[in-house]
Amino acid sequence: MKTFNEQVYDIVAKIPSGRVATFGQIANMIGRPRMARFVGYASNNKNSWHLPWHRVVFKDGSLCSGFFDEQYKQLKSEGVKFDKDKKVKMEQYQWNPDRDGVPLDIKDFPLVF
């Protein structure tokens, strides 16, 4: 059984380019709807910095204050649009796995030698 953080990392790794997910959405996806704050804590683990954390935002589309400028630049480079307050236009860019699919990831394939 995977730990809470490992489950969070699995979801974050699957957020496609040009889409965002919320902390609460990720918590819901792993069956822990009241643990959005702990999804945020999971992002502070230095072993997870390779993941696309810039694609995780607050439910109103606000960016994380700790790395606002970098997050804004990365999302903008992926084609994500913002409103006048620099909040993600959630109705257009929030990730819906059923609609948008889940990107193929090399980790999803077994190693063949």
Side-chain angles (χ1 to χ4, degrees):
M1 173 124 184
K2 291 188 177 188
T3 66
F4 177 84
N5 283 6
E6 290 170 332
Q7 292 174 47
V8 168
Y9 302 153
D10 286 348
I11 297 293
V12 172
K14 291 181 169 118
I15 304 169
S17 177
R19 295 288 179 198
V20 297
T22 68
F23 294 99
Q25 177 183 359
I26 293 168
N28 279 327
M29 292 172 89
I30 61 173
R32 306 299 290 272
R34 300 187 56 81
M35 296 188 71
R37 183 178 305 261
F38 292 93
V39 172
Y41 294 152
S43 73
N44 291 322
N45 185 327
K46 67 180 179 181
N47 294 325
S48 75
W49 289 349
H50 65 285
L51 297 172
W53 285 106
H54 65 282
R55 297 180 186 145
V56 183
V57 300
F58 294 104
K59 67 181 175 184
D60 69 348
S62 297
L63 305 182
C64 302
S65 60
F67 71 117
F68 179 92
D69 292 332
E70 184 63 28
Q71 188 177 22
Y72 180 78
K73 282 191 288 189
Q74 287 183 303
L75 289 173
K76 199 159 178 74
S77 75
E78 293 180 0
V80 174
K81 304 285 188 226
F82 297 83
D83 66 17
K84 63 180 175 54
D85 297 320
K86 290 193 174 177
K87 292 182 180 180
V88 173
K89 294 184 176 183
M90 296 300 285
E91 63 281 351
Q92 289 178 266
Y93 296 99
Q94 186 168 8
W95 178 42
N96 178 336
D98 294 330
R99 179 194 66 214
D100 304 324
V102 177
L104 292 178
D105 187 340
I106 194 163
K107 292 184 290 183
D108 295 332
F109 296 97
L111 292 175
V112 177
F113 294 96

